[in-house]
Amino acid sequence: MGCKATKEEVVSKTEEEKVDSILVGREKQARELGFVSWYRSTDFEVARRLAKEEGKAMVILFTEIPGSMQETFDFGDKALSHARIVELLESKFIPVAIQNNSVGLDEDRRILKKFGEKSWSTPVLRFVDTEGRDLVPRRAGIYSRSAIKARAKAAENANRTKVLDEVRGSVKRAW
């Protein structure tokens, strides 16, 4: 003896289903973030310590959430949802997403300021060491998978060299 749903409930359910179909496989994260499992601004220091412990660099995505431009959605839907890009960013780096629009948290705004990033801009993917220094020069408008792979490889090599130099320095000081 079920009750009949109201028109508002039916419309609401339909809208929820549309959203759910977009977010399948993303554990309900915003589509601007793709399938990458990102640390968020509130976990920035945790991510930084983890990167240091694992000898990895960080990849930081500065983006609008919710997005206001098609580029933002396309970047999440295409490049950041591609299996090889997801695997690359998650296995070789510690990924952190920072919301760059005004509805973000105070912590997001603090990190935007630290990195000199603007609010309400197109997505920017930066590869940095655990001190926040760019491993490859900052460039906006890098949205293709091939460009992301090339920059990730260069950043990984730069970080590896930096880590090896630190180890060599420690060994020399120990002698």
Side-chain angles (χ1 to χ4, degrees):
M1 310 222 300
C3 322
K4 214 171 179 185
T6 66
K7 182 179 178 183
E8 290 80 20
E9 290 171 328
V10 170
V11 169
S12 176
K13 178 72 172 154
T14 303
E15 290 303 311
E16 285 176 14
E17 288 169 354
K18 285 180 188 173
V19 170
D20 284 348
S21 68
I22 292 169
L23 299 175
V24 168
R26 300 182 193 193
E27 297 179 23
K28 307 285 186 201
Q29 79 178 5
R31 71 185 265 212
E32 296 86 344
L33 301 175
F35 293 149
V36 177
S37 295
W38 301 96
Y39 284 88
R40 298 304 297 270
S41 62
T42 53
D43 301 317
F44 189 83
E45 285 305 313
V46 171
R48 192 182 71 73
R49 281 193 303 273
L50 182 62
K52 196 169 194 129
E53 287 170 13
E54 294 184 9
K56 292 182 178 179
M58 298 169 68
V59 57
I60 305 175
L61 172 65
F62 295 93
T63 193
E64 294 179 350
I65 305 169
S68 65
M69 295 175 283
Q70 192 59 44
E71 292 165 318
T72 306
F73 296 118
D74 288 346
F75 190 51
D77 289 340
K78 295 176 183 169
L80 297 178
S81 294
H82 189 275
R84 287 188 180 139
I85 296 296
V86 173
E87 196 274 328
L88 172 68
L89 297 181
E90 290 181 351
S91 67
K92 304 293 183 181
F93 301 91
I94 302 297
V96 180
I98 304 300
Q99 188 173 348
N100 73 0
N101 47 3
S102 65
V103 293
L105 302 168
D106 287 341
E107 196 63 19
D108 288 303
R109 288 190 284 278
R110 183 187 70 76
I111 295 167
L112 283 170
K113 185 175 180 180
K114 172 184 168 117
F115 286 94
E117 290 292 335
K118 296 178 182 168
S119 296
W120 297 99
S121 65
T122 56
V124 174
L125 200 59
R126 290 179 63 175
F127 296 90
V128 301
D129 66 15
T130 56
E131 302 306 314
R133 293 180 297 248
D134 286 309
L135 293 166
V136 292
R138 180 209 182 276
R139 282 197 44 213
I142 304 292
Y143 303 128
S144 74
R145 293 189 304 259
S146 60
I148 293 168
K149 285 186 219 174
R151 291 178 64 74
K153 184 175 178 111
E156 185 182 12
N157 289 338
N159 191 59
R160 186 178 303 118
T161 300
K162 180 184 164 294
V163 170
L164 286 173
D165 288 347
E166 288 172 1
V167 169
R168 286 183 192 121
S170 296
V171 169
K172 284 180 184 177
R173 285 190 297 276
W175 285 97

mmCIF file of all heavy atoms in Angstrom, residues 117-164:
data_model
loop_
_atom_site.group_PDB
_atom_site.id
_atom_site.type_symbol
_atom_site.label_atom_id
_atom_site.label_comp_id
_atom_site.label_asym_id
_atom_site.label_seq_id
_atom_site.Cartn_x
_atom_site.Cartn_y
_atom_site.Cartn_z
ATOM 1 N N GLU A 117 48.314 32.138 -6.474
ATOM 2 C CA GLU A 117 47.278 31.785 -7.453
ATOM 3 C C GLU A 117 46.076 32.703 -7.291
ATOM 4 O O GLU A 117 45.759 33.139 -6.188
ATOM 5 C CB GLU A 117 46.838 30.328 -7.288
ATOM 6 C CG GLU A 117 47.878 29.319 -7.697
ATOM 7 C CD GLU A 117 48.143 29.306 -9.187
ATOM 8 O OE1 GLU A 117 47.252 29.696 -9.980
ATOM 9 O OE2 GLU A 117 49.253 28.900 -9.580
ATOM 10 N N LYS A 118 45.414 32.976 -8.401
ATOM 11 C CA LYS A 118 44.250 33.855 -8.402
ATOM 12 C C LYS A 118 42.976 33.064 -8.174
ATOM 13 O O LYS A 118 42.890 31.886 -8.498
ATOM 14 C CB LYS A 118 44.146 34.575 -9.740
ATOM 15 C CG LYS A 118 45.303 35.493 -10.012
ATOM 16 C CD LYS A 118 45.170 36.135 -11.360
ATOM 17 C CE LYS A 118 46.375 37.023 -11.618
ATOM 18 N NZ LYS A 118 46.485 37.455 -12.975
ATOM 19 N N SER A 119 41.992 33.766 -7.652
ATOM 20 C CA SER A 119 40.657 33.186 -7.520
ATOM 21 C C SER A 119 39.948 33.238 -8.863
ATOM 22 O O SER A 119 40.262 34.076 -9.705
ATOM 23 C CB SER A 119 39.827 33.963 -6.498
ATOM 24 O OG SER A 119 40.419 33.847 -5.235
ATOM 25 N N TRP A 120 39.008 32.333 -9.023
ATOM 26 C CA TRP A 120 38.144 32.314 -10.198
ATOM 27 C C TRP A 120 38.936 32.252 -11.508
ATOM 28 O O TRP A 120 38.704 33.006 -12.429
ATOM 29 C CB TRP A 120 37.196 33.519 -10.224
ATOM 30 C CG TRP A 120 36.259 33.518 -9.084
ATOM 31 C CD1 TRP A 120 36.393 34.233 -7.928
ATOM 32 C CD2 TRP A 120 35.075 32.749 -8.935
ATOM 33 N NE1 TRP A 120 35.352 33.971 -7.081
ATOM 34 C CE2 TRP A 120 34.514 33.054 -7.680
ATOM 35 C CE3 TRP A 120 34.421 31.829 -9.741
ATOM 36 C CZ2 TRP A 120 33.350 32.473 -7.208
ATOM 37 C CZ3 TRP A 120 33.256 31.252 -9.277
ATOM 38 C CH2 TRP A 120 32.724 31.574 -8.035
ATOM 39 N N SER A 121 39.893 31.372 -11.576
ATOM 40 C CA SER A 121 40.657 31.229 -12.813
ATOM 41 C C SER A 121 40.485 29.818 -13.366
ATOM 42 O O SER A 121 39.945 28.938 -12.701
ATOM 43 C CB SER A 121 42.138 31.521 -12.574
ATOM 44 O OG SER A 121 42.692 30.563 -11.701
ATOM 45 N N THR A 122 40.966 29.617 -14.576
ATOM 46 C CA THR A 122 40.902 28.283 -15.176
ATOM 47 C C THR A 122 41.802 27.342 -14.371
ATOM 48 O O THR A 122 42.690 27.795 -13.647
ATOM 49 C CB THR A 122 41.371 28.323 -16.650
ATOM 50 O OG1 THR A 122 42.685 28.871 -16.685
ATOM 51 C CG2 THR A 122 40.431 29.144 -17.510
ATOM 52 N N PRO A 123 41.589 26.035 -14.497
ATOM 53 C CA PRO A 123 42.382 25.092 -13.709
ATOM 54 C C PRO A 123 43.880 25.217 -13.979
ATOM 55 O O PRO A 123 44.308 25.410 -15.115
ATOM 56 C CB PRO A 123 41.882 23.726 -14.190
ATOM 57 C CG PRO A 123 40.545 23.977 -14.774
ATOM 58 C CD PRO A 123 40.603 25.360 -15.336
ATOM 59 N N VAL A 124 44.656 25.101 -12.917
ATOM 60 C CA VAL A 124 46.115 25.104 -13.000
ATOM 61 C C VAL A 124 46.612 23.893 -12.218
ATOM 62 O O VAL A 124 46.220 23.688 -11.072
ATOM 63 C CB VAL A 124 46.722 26.394 -12.405
ATOM 64 C CG1 VAL A 124 48.242 26.320 -12.377
ATOM 65 C CG2 VAL A 124 46.254 27.613 -13.168
ATOM 66 N N LEU A 125 47.455 23.097 -12.855
ATOM 67 C CA LEU A 125 48.046 21.918 -12.233
ATOM 68 C C LEU A 125 49.526 22.222 -12.011
ATOM 69 O O LEU A 125 50.258 22.479 -12.965
ATOM 70 C CB LEU A 125 47.878 20.726 -13.182
ATOM 71 C CG LEU A 125 47.981 19.323 -12.629
ATOM 72 C CD1 LEU A 125 46.930 19.081 -11.544
ATOM 73 C CD2 LEU A 125 47.795 18.317 -13.758
ATOM 74 N N ARG A 126 49.941 22.232 -10.727
ATOM 75 C CA ARG A 126 51.339 22.555 -10.409
ATOM 76 C C ARG A 126 52.011 21.374 -9.738
ATOM 77 O O ARG A 126 51.418 20.707 -8.890
ATOM 78 C CB ARG A 126 51.401 23.777 -9.500
ATOM 79 C CG ARG A 126 51.001 25.025 -10.258
ATOM 80 C CD ARG A 126 51.008 26.264 -9.450
ATOM 81 N NE ARG A 126 52.321 26.639 -8.939
ATOM 82 C CZ ARG A 126 52.511 27.770 -8.274
ATOM 83 N NH1 ARG A 126 51.502 28.610 -8.057
ATOM 84 N NH2 ARG A 126 53.709 28.078 -7.819
ATOM 85 N N PHE A 127 53.261 21.150 -10.114
ATOM 86 C CA PHE A 127 54.080 20.095 -9.529
ATOM 87 C C PHE A 127 55.113 20.770 -8.647
ATOM 88 O O PHE A 127 55.940 21.539 -9.133
ATOM 89 C CB PHE A 127 54.752 19.282 -10.639
ATOM 90 C CG PHE A 127 53.778 18.545 -11.503
ATOM 91 C CD1 PHE A 127 53.247 19.135 -12.637
ATOM 92 C CD2 PHE A 127 53.377 17.246 -11.178
ATOM 93 C CE1 PHE A 127 52.338 18.459 -13.439
ATOM 94 C CE2 PHE A 127 52.467 16.572 -11.968
ATOM 95 C CZ PHE A 127 51.943 17.176 -13.104
ATOM 96 N N VAL A 128 55.045 20.501 -7.334
ATOM 97 C CA VAL A 128 55.909 21.195 -6.382
ATOM 98 C C VAL A 128 56.581 20.201 -5.438
ATOM 99 O O VAL A 128 56.093 19.092 -5.233
ATOM 100 C CB VAL A 128 55.114 22.240 -5.555
ATOM 101 C CG1 VAL A 128 54.461 23.281 -6.448
ATOM 102 C CG2 VAL A 128 54.078 21.569 -4.676
ATOM 103 N N ASP A 129 57.709 20.635 -4.853
ATOM 104 C CA ASP A 129 58.369 19.818 -3.832
ATOM 105 C C ASP A 129 57.653 20.045 -2.499
ATOM 106 O O ASP A 129 56.681 20.809 -2.425
ATOM 107 C CB ASP A 129 59.868 20.112 -3.773
ATOM 108 C CG ASP A 129 60.208 21.522 -3.295
ATOM 109 O OD1 ASP A 129 59.342 22.225 -2.724
ATOM 110 O OD2 ASP A 129 61.371 21.926 -3.492
ATOM 111 N N THR A 130 58.138 19.401 -1.461
ATOM 112 C CA THR A 130 57.449 19.490 -0.164
ATOM 113 C C THR A 130 57.583 20.857 0.497
ATOM 114 O O THR A 130 56.873 21.146 1.450
ATOM 115 C CB THR A 130 57.969 18.404 0.801
ATOM 116 O OG1 THR A 130 59.391 18.539 0.922
ATOM 117 C CG2 THR A 130 57.616 17.014 0.300
ATOM 118 N N GLU A 131 58.454 21.696 -0.046
ATOM 119 C CA GLU A 131 58.587 23.065 0.458
ATOM 120 C C GLU A 131 57.727 24.032 -0.351
ATOM 121 O O GLU A 131 57.723 25.231 -0.085
ATOM 122 C CB GLU A 131 60.051 23.513 0.437
ATOM 123 C CG GLU A 131 60.978 22.609 1.245
ATOM 124 C CD GLU A 131 60.517 22.402 2.681
ATOM 125 O OE1 GLU A 131 60.150 23.394 3.339
ATOM 126 O OE2 GLU A 131 60.517 21.245 3.139
ATOM 127 N N GLY A 132 57.036 23.514 -1.367
ATOM 128 C CA GLY A 132 56.163 24.357 -2.176
ATOM 129 C C GLY A 132 56.848 25.006 -3.367
ATOM 130 O O GLY A 132 56.265 25.861 -4.019
ATOM 131 N N ARG A 133 58.086 24.602 -3.664
ATOM 132 C CA ARG A 133 58.807 25.159 -4.815
ATOM 133 C C ARG A 133 58.435 24.387 -6.075
ATOM 134 O O ARG A 133 58.396 23.151 -6.071
ATOM 135 C CB ARG A 133 60.315 25.084 -4.580
ATOM 136 C CG ARG A 133 60.788 25.986 -3.442
ATOM 137 C CD ARG A 133 62.284 25.874 -3.243
ATOM 138 N NE ARG A 133 62.634 24.518 -2.841
ATOM 139 C CZ ARG A 133 63.095 24.183 -1.640
ATOM 140 N NH1 ARG A 133 63.289 25.104 -0.728
ATOM 141 N NH2 ARG A 133 63.387 22.935 -1.361
ATOM 142 N N ASP A 134 58.194 25.123 -7.145
ATOM 143 C CA ASP A 134 57.847 24.492 -8.417
ATOM 144 C C ASP A 134 58.993 23.619 -8.910
ATOM 145 O O ASP A 134 60.139 24.055 -8.945
ATOM 146 C CB ASP A 134 57.529 25.554 -9.480
ATOM 147 C CG ASP A 134 56.184 26.211 -9.256
ATOM 148 O OD1 ASP A 134 55.190 25.483 -9.093
ATOM 149 O OD2 ASP A 134 56.126 27.452 -9.270
ATOM 150 N N LEU A 135 58.659 22.395 -9.311
ATOM 151 C CA LEU A 135 59.650 21.498 -9.906
ATOM 152 C C LEU A 135 59.733 21.703 -11.414
ATOM 153 O O LEU A 135 60.743 21.396 -12.030
ATOM 154 C CB LEU A 135 59.297 20.042 -9.585
ATOM 155 C CG LEU A 135 59.423 19.693 -8.100
ATOM 156 C CD1 LEU A 135 58.744 18.376 -7.802
ATOM 157 C CD2 LEU A 135 60.891 19.665 -7.687
ATOM 158 N N VAL A 136 58.663 22.165 -11.985
ATOM 159 C CA VAL A 136 58.621 22.612 -13.381
ATOM 160 C C VAL A 136 57.936 23.976 -13.347
ATOM 161 O O VAL A 136 57.103 24.231 -12.472
ATOM 162 C CB VAL A 136 57.860 21.633 -14.318
ATOM 163 C CG1 VAL A 136 58.621 20.329 -14.474
ATOM 164 C CG2 VAL A 136 56.454 21.363 -13.839
ATOM 165 N N PRO A 137 58.291 24.867 -14.255
ATOM 166 C CA PRO A 137 57.688 26.205 -14.207
ATOM 167 C C PRO A 137 56.158 26.158 -14.276
ATOM 168 O O PRO A 137 55.583 25.343 -15.009
ATOM 169 C CB PRO A 137 58.262 26.898 -15.443
ATOM 170 C CG PRO A 137 59.508 26.147 -15.760
ATOM 171 C CD PRO A 137 59.250 24.731 -15.344
ATOM 172 N N ARG A 138 55.515 27.021 -13.508
ATOM 173 C CA ARG A 138 54.052 27.101 -13.504
ATOM 174 C C ARG A 138 53.566 27.515 -14.886
ATOM 175 O O ARG A 138 54.096 28.436 -15.481
ATOM 176 C CB ARG A 138 53.607 28.147 -12.479
ATOM 177 C CG ARG A 138 52.099 28.300 -12.404
ATOM 178 C CD ARG A 138 51.725 29.722 -11.993
ATOM 179 N NE ARG A 138 50.300 29.890 -11.869
ATOM 180 C CZ ARG A 138 49.500 30.167 -12.903
ATOM 181 N NH1 ARG A 138 49.972 30.273 -14.118
ATOM 182 N NH2 ARG A 138 48.198 30.329 -12.712
ATOM 183 N N ARG A 139 52.571 26.802 -15.381
ATOM 184 C CA ARG A 139 51.951 27.166 -16.654
ATOM 185 C C ARG A 139 50.462 26.887 -16.572
ATOM 186 O O ARG A 139 50.055 25.804 -16.174
ATOM 187 C CB ARG A 139 52.531 26.347 -17.812
ATOM 188 C CG ARG A 139 53.881 26.871 -18.226
ATOM 189 C CD ARG A 139 54.362 26.418 -19.576
ATOM 190 N NE ARG A 139 53.384 26.453 -20.629
ATOM 191 C CZ ARG A 139 53.372 25.579 -21.626
ATOM 192 N NH1 ARG A 139 54.263 24.623 -21.696
ATOM 193 N NH2 ARG A 139 52.464 25.662 -22.567
ATOM 194 N N ALA A 140 49.686 27.860 -16.950
ATOM 195 C CA ALA A 140 48.230 27.675 -17.019
ATOM 196 C C ALA A 140 47.889 27.123 -18.397
ATOM 197 O O ALA A 140 48.693 27.190 -19.327
ATOM 198 C CB ALA A 140 47.522 29.009 -16.792
ATOM 199 N N GLY A 141 46.700 26.583 -18.532
ATOM 200 C CA GLY A 141 46.222 26.127 -19.833
ATOM 201 C C GLY A 141 46.797 24.797 -20.282
ATOM 202 O O GLY A 141 46.756 24.477 -21.465
ATOM 203 N N ILE A 142 47.326 24.013 -19.376
ATOM 204 C CA ILE A 142 47.843 22.686 -19.714
ATOM 205 C C ILE A 142 46.711 21.690 -19.455
ATOM 206 O O ILE A 142 46.481 21.284 -18.316
ATOM 207 C CB ILE A 142 49.075 22.323 -18.845
ATOM 208 C CG1 ILE A 142 50.155 23.367 -18.970
ATOM 209 C CG2 ILE A 142 49.585 20.927 -19.176
ATOM 210 C CD1 ILE A 142 50.808 23.444 -20.324
ATOM 211 N N TYR A 143 45.994 21.313 -20.505
ATOM 212 C CA TYR A 143 44.828 20.455 -20.327
ATOM 213 C C TYR A 143 44.924 19.122 -21.058
ATOM 214 O O TYR A 143 44.097 18.251 -20.860
ATOM 215 C CB TYR A 143 43.555 21.175 -20.788
ATOM 216 C CG TYR A 143 43.337 22.488 -20.076
ATOM 217 C CD1 TYR A 143 43.109 23.647 -20.780
ATOM 218 C CD2 TYR A 143 43.360 22.559 -18.690
ATOM 219 C CE1 TYR A 143 42.905 24.856 -20.130
ATOM 220 C CE2 TYR A 143 43.171 23.760 -18.036
ATOM 221 C CZ TYR A 143 42.942 24.904 -18.761
ATOM 222 O OH TYR A 143 42.753 26.087 -18.116
ATOM 223 N N SER A 144 45.920 18.934 -21.921
ATOM 224 C CA SER A 144 45.998 17.674 -22.668
ATOM 225 C C SER A 144 46.708 16.615 -21.837
ATOM 226 O O SER A 144 47.582 16.923 -21.014
ATOM 227 C CB SER A 144 46.729 17.866 -23.999
ATOM 228 O OG SER A 144 48.115 18.018 -23.779
ATOM 229 N N ARG A 145 46.333 15.364 -22.065
ATOM 230 C CA ARG A 145 46.964 14.260 -21.343
ATOM 231 C C ARG A 145 48.462 14.202 -21.643
ATOM 232 O O ARG A 145 49.264 13.967 -20.747
ATOM 233 C CB ARG A 145 46.271 12.946 -21.698
ATOM 234 C CG ARG A 145 44.842 12.892 -21.180
ATOM 235 C CD ARG A 145 44.228 11.521 -21.337
ATOM 236 N NE ARG A 145 44.248 11.010 -22.682
ATOM 237 C CZ ARG A 145 43.219 11.008 -23.516
ATOM 238 N NH1 ARG A 145 42.068 11.525 -23.140
ATOM 239 N NH2 ARG A 145 43.319 10.484 -24.719
ATOM 240 N N SER A 146 48.835 14.424 -22.896
ATOM 241 C CA SER A 146 50.257 14.332 -23.250
ATOM 242 C C SER A 146 51.068 15.420 -22.541
ATOM 243 O O SER A 146 52.182 15.167 -22.075
ATOM 244 C CB SER A 146 50.452 14.409 -24.764
ATOM 245 O OG SER A 146 49.955 15.624 -25.275
ATOM 246 N N ALA A 147 50.526 16.614 -22.436
ATOM 247 C CA ALA A 147 51.235 17.700 -21.742
ATOM 248 C C ALA A 147 51.337 17.410 -20.246
ATOM 249 O O ALA A 147 52.378 17.672 -19.632
ATOM 250 C CB ALA A 147 50.531 19.030 -21.988
ATOM 251 N N ILE A 148 50.293 16.861 -19.669
ATOM 252 C CA ILE A 148 50.328 16.510 -18.247
ATOM 253 C C ILE A 148 51.385 15.440 -18.009
ATOM 254 O O ILE A 148 52.196 15.534 -17.086
ATOM 255 C CB ILE A 148 48.943 16.034 -17.751
ATOM 256 C CG1 ILE A 148 47.952 17.193 -17.789
ATOM 257 C CG2 ILE A 148 49.047 15.448 -16.341
ATOM 258 C CD1 ILE A 148 46.511 16.770 -17.592
ATOM 259 N N LYS A 149 51.415 14.414 -18.868
ATOM 260 C CA LYS A 149 52.416 13.342 -18.726
ATOM 261 C C LYS A 149 53.832 13.895 -18.828
ATOM 262 O O LYS A 149 54.702 13.532 -18.033
ATOM 263 C CB LYS A 149 52.213 12.272 -19.800
ATOM 264 C CG LYS A 149 51.048 11.361 -19.554
ATOM 265 C CD LYS A 149 51.052 10.264 -20.607
ATOM 266 C CE LYS A 149 49.657 9.945 -21.042
ATOM 267 N NZ LYS A 149 49.593 9.013 -22.148
ATOM 268 N N ALA A 150 54.076 14.762 -19.797
ATOM 269 C CA ALA A 150 55.409 15.334 -19.988
ATOM 270 C C ALA A 150 55.831 16.158 -18.776
ATOM 271 O O ALA A 150 56.967 16.039 -18.290
ATOM 272 C CB ALA A 150 55.443 16.179 -21.257
ATOM 273 N N ARG A 151 54.927 16.970 -18.262
ATOM 274 C CA ARG A 151 55.251 17.807 -17.102
ATOM 275 C C ARG A 151 55.428 16.943 -15.851
ATOM 276 O O ARG A 151 56.307 17.201 -15.029
ATOM 277 C CB ARG A 151 54.179 18.872 -16.904
ATOM 278 C CG ARG A 151 54.214 19.923 -18.036
ATOM 279 C CD ARG A 151 53.138 20.963 -17.908
ATOM 280 N NE ARG A 151 53.276 21.787 -16.728
ATOM 281 C CZ ARG A 151 54.191 22.750 -16.575
ATOM 282 N NH1 ARG A 151 55.046 23.008 -17.525
ATOM 283 N NH2 ARG A 151 54.224 23.460 -15.463
ATOM 284 N N ALA A 152 54.623 15.904 -15.728
ATOM 285 C CA ALA A 152 54.745 15.006 -14.577
ATOM 286 C C ALA A 152 56.098 14.294 -14.602
ATOM 287 O O ALA A 152 56.765 14.182 -13.568
ATOM 288 C CB ALA A 152 53.605 13.996 -14.570
ATOM 289 N N LYS A 153 56.498 13.831 -15.773
ATOM 290 C CA LYS A 153 57.793 13.143 -15.896
ATOM 291 C C LYS A 153 58.941 14.097 -15.545
ATOM 292 O O LYS A 153 59.856 13.736 -14.806
ATOM 293 C CB LYS A 153 57.968 12.598 -17.301
ATOM 294 C CG LYS A 153 59.230 11.801 -17.477
ATOM 295 C CD LYS A 153 59.313 11.162 -18.855
ATOM 296 C CE LYS A 153 60.608 10.428 -19.006
ATOM 297 N NZ LYS A 153 60.497 9.018 -19.067
ATOM 298 N N ALA A 154 58.895 15.320 -16.061
ATOM 299 C CA ALA A 154 59.930 16.312 -15.757
ATOM 300 C C ALA A 154 59.955 16.620 -14.258
ATOM 301 O O ALA A 154 61.033 16.729 -13.654
ATOM 302 C CB ALA A 154 59.696 17.585 -16.565
ATOM 303 N N ALA A 155 58.780 16.749 -13.649
ATOM 304 C CA ALA A 155 58.700 17.038 -12.210
ATOM 305 C C ALA A 155 59.228 15.864 -11.392
ATOM 306 O O ALA A 155 59.954 16.062 -10.408
ATOM 307 C CB ALA A 155 57.261 17.353 -11.821
ATOM 308 N N GLU A 156 58.882 14.659 -11.805
ATOM 309 C CA GLU A 156 59.354 13.470 -11.090
ATOM 310 C C GLU A 156 60.884 13.388 -11.156
ATOM 311 O O GLU A 156 61.551 13.117 -10.152
ATOM 312 C CB GLU A 156 58.724 12.217 -11.688
ATOM 313 C CG GLU A 156 59.055 10.967 -10.929
ATOM 314 C CD GLU A 156 58.467 9.719 -11.544
ATOM 315 O OE1 GLU A 156 57.979 9.750 -12.692
ATOM 316 O OE2 GLU A 156 58.526 8.680 -10.861
ATOM 317 N N ASN A 157 61.461 13.649 -12.317
ATOM 318 C CA ASN A 157 62.919 13.638 -12.473
ATOM 319 C C ASN A 157 63.572 14.723 -11.619
ATOM 320 O O ASN A 157 64.582 14.485 -10.967
ATOM 321 C CB ASN A 157 63.317 13.796 -13.938
ATOM 322 C CG ASN A 157 62.998 12.555 -14.738
ATOM 323 O OD1 ASN A 157 62.863 11.460 -14.204
ATOM 324 N ND2 ASN A 157 62.846 12.724 -16.047
ATOM 325 N N ALA A 158 62.989 15.918 -11.626
ATOM 326 C CA ALA A 158 63.530 17.020 -10.824
ATOM 327 C C ALA A 158 63.458 16.685 -9.337
ATOM 328 O O ALA A 158 64.398 16.961 -8.580
ATOM 329 C CB ALA A 158 62.766 18.314 -11.119
ATOM 330 N N ASN A 159 62.374 16.077 -8.913
ATOM 331 C CA ASN A 159 62.223 15.719 -7.503
ATOM 332 C C ASN A 159 63.210 14.618 -7.126
ATOM 333 O O ASN A 159 63.808 14.663 -6.054
ATOM 334 C CB ASN A 159 60.789 15.280 -7.204
ATOM 335 C CG ASN A 159 60.542 15.156 -5.722
ATOM 336 O OD1 ASN A 159 60.699 16.115 -4.982
ATOM 337 N ND2 ASN A 159 60.180 13.967 -5.276
ATOM 338 N N ARG A 160 63.380 13.636 -8.003
ATOM 339 C CA ARG A 160 64.322 12.544 -7.736
ATOM 340 C C ARG A 160 65.736 13.116 -7.552
ATOM 341 O O ARG A 160 66.451 12.751 -6.624
ATOM 342 C CB ARG A 160 64.307 11.530 -8.876
ATOM 343 C CG ARG A 160 65.155 10.298 -8.594
ATOM 344 C CD ARG A 160 65.108 9.271 -9.717
ATOM 345 N NE ARG A 160 63.761 8.844 -10.011
ATOM 346 C CZ ARG A 160 63.154 9.029 -11.204
ATOM 347 N NH1 ARG A 160 63.773 9.622 -12.182
ATOM 348 N NH2 ARG A 160 61.925 8.596 -11.391
ATOM 349 N N THR A 161 66.131 14.030 -8.435
ATOM 350 C CA THR A 161 67.446 14.668 -8.343
ATOM 351 C C THR A 161 67.579 15.429 -7.029
ATOM 352 O O THR A 161 68.598 15.335 -6.342
ATOM 353 C CB THR A 161 67.658 15.621 -9.540
ATOM 354 O OG1 THR A 161 67.583 14.853 -10.740
ATOM 355 C CG2 THR A 161 68.991 16.329 -9.460
ATOM 356 N N LYS A 162 66.536 16.160 -6.656
ATOM 357 C CA LYS A 162 66.546 16.940 -5.412
ATOM 358 C C LYS A 162 66.690 16.014 -4.206
ATOM 359 O O LYS A 162 67.502 16.273 -3.324
ATOM 360 C CB LYS A 162 65.252 17.743 -5.320
ATOM 361 C CG LYS A 162 65.123 18.598 -4.083
ATOM 362 C CD LYS A 162 63.760 19.271 -4.061
ATOM 363 C CE LYS A 162 63.428 19.796 -2.709
ATOM 364 N NZ LYS A 162 63.252 18.797 -1.673
ATOM 365 N N VAL A 163 65.937 14.921 -4.187
ATOM 366 C CA VAL A 163 65.998 13.973 -3.071
ATOM 367 C C VAL A 163 67.382 13.336 -2.996
ATOM 368 O O VAL A 163 67.966 13.216 -1.915
ATOM 369 C CB VAL A 163 64.883 12.906 -3.191
ATOM 370 C CG1 VAL A 163 65.083 11.778 -2.199
ATOM 371 C CG2 VAL A 163 63.509 13.543 -2.990
ATOM 372 N N LEU A 164 67.939 12.933 -4.143
ATOM 373 C CA LEU A 164 69.280 12.333 -4.161
ATOM 374 C C LEU A 164 70.335 13.327 -3.672
ATOM 375 O O LEU A 164 71.244 12.952 -2.924
ATOM 376 C CB LEU A 164 69.625 11.832 -5.563
ATOM 377 C CG LEU A 164 68.909 10.565 -5.998
ATOM 378 C CD1 LEU A 164 69.209 10.261 -7.471
ATOM 379 C CD2 LEU A 164 69.281 9.382 -5.121
#
